[in-house]
Amino acid sequence: MSNLPPYLFAEIDRKRALKESEGVDVISLGIGDPDLPTPQRIIGAMAEAIANPKNHQYPAYAGSKPYRAACAEWMKRRFGVGLDPDTEVLALIGSKEGIAHLFPAFIDVGDYTLVPGVGYPVYTTGGILIGGETHYMPMNEDNGWLADFESTPAEVLAKAKMMFLSYPNNPAAVAAPVEYFDAAIAFAQKHDLLLVHDNAYSEIGFDGHLPTSILERPGARDVAIELFSCSKAYNMTGWRVAFACGNAEAIKALGTVKSNVDSGVFTAIQDAAIEALLGPQDDVAAMREVYQRRRDMVLDALDTIGLSARRSQGTIYVWARIPGGYTSAEYATLVLDKTGVIVPPGSAYGPDGEGYIRISLATPDHRLAEALERMATTL
Ligand code: MLT
């Protein structure tokens, strides 16, 4: 427990509550929690599903048959990837839960997980919880924020079991070319690693770029599983519903852990998620436009604030370089103290995040504009 840091966003919530108790009007550009509501069509499906007494009993451990079939159908429609819903799809109580439970499934004490130099904190803390080791794969401006797995030392590889990647990338907001996925698949094959591709931002690509699935690539299914979530794609963070798919052996192992520690996703929520995945997708396109507009608002303001950033290719973030003379934690504290705006420090995402902050676009336009204005005038 003493090696386990407080969860980044729980810590940020604590700081926010403290500031608000001092009377500060806090604007959070912190967590990626969509301000846009869940589409009405999904709420309608939930209203119907919750009235069905069959849904009030224990859910199926791996997910209901119709939900798993809908996930497979969505993968087919969206990426042209065919999956067996019985062996290659598993319902998750959000991707975060799936990520955390991959560790007891695949990592023994002392085994290594290869983790991107900046990434979702649970890739690291999941290992800490069970006595696993983390190797950070270097990621920076020079390699386009494509985690460098090839540089992993031989002694680490000898004890490595699992590797995480995530594109569009949280927090660096870049997409990966398919050649990079191909190289990662070959690397995982060579070193007998489970490759986990976290595709939580699969529906949010900008400037006409629509993210791909690693399972589209040849050989992926031999070594990879992919995680998809309704959270960001359908504004359903609070509903806790996602799925893992791909390599059948890995799906089975994860399912075995899960059936021993949780009892599945509330079936009514799975019914609503079926509507999310298979209903008309116009709301997804509209959401993408909102985030792209907000990304442009942020990019236009950065210069005046003294920050700089690449043009985000996807996700709901801008990954901005901070001025010299501060650590990213110092800078994030300065921003909160001087402007009442919350931005997570880049260092909280891993060692390569030092020198950056992450700006979330999941805030209504007028509040985002106000936050940028405060930062521009005060900093
Ligand atoms: C993020 O902001 O990176 C995620 O939405 C936070 C989370 O899933 O805890």
Side-chain angles (χ1 to χ4, degrees), residues 33-47:
D33 190 0
D35 56 304
L36 302 168
T38 306
Q40 202 53 48
R41 63 185 176 92
I42 302 169
I43 295 170
M46 180 68 181

Side-chain angles (χ1 to χ4, degrees), residues 219-270:
R221 215 170 310 194
D222 298 337
V223 288
I225 62 167
E226 194 157 49
L227 307 175
F228 289 94
S229 171
C230 288
S231 286
K232 312 289 154 79
Y234 301 104
N235 304 325
M236 292 174 75
T237 45
W239 300 59
R240 311 314 302 143
V241 60
F243 66 95
C245 61
N247 182 274
E249 202 186 332
I251 290 293
K252 188 171 175 208
L254 179 57
T256 302
V257 170
K258 278 177 56 55
S259 60
N260 281 286
V261 294
D262 68 59
S263 296
V265 180
F266 181 23
T267 315
I269 291 180
Q270 296 185 57

Side-chain angles (χ1 to χ4, degrees), residues 161-174:
K161 296 280 164 57
M162 188 160 69
M163 161 161 108
F164 281 97
L165 295 178
S166 179
Y167 295 94
N169 185 263
N170 170 23
V174 297

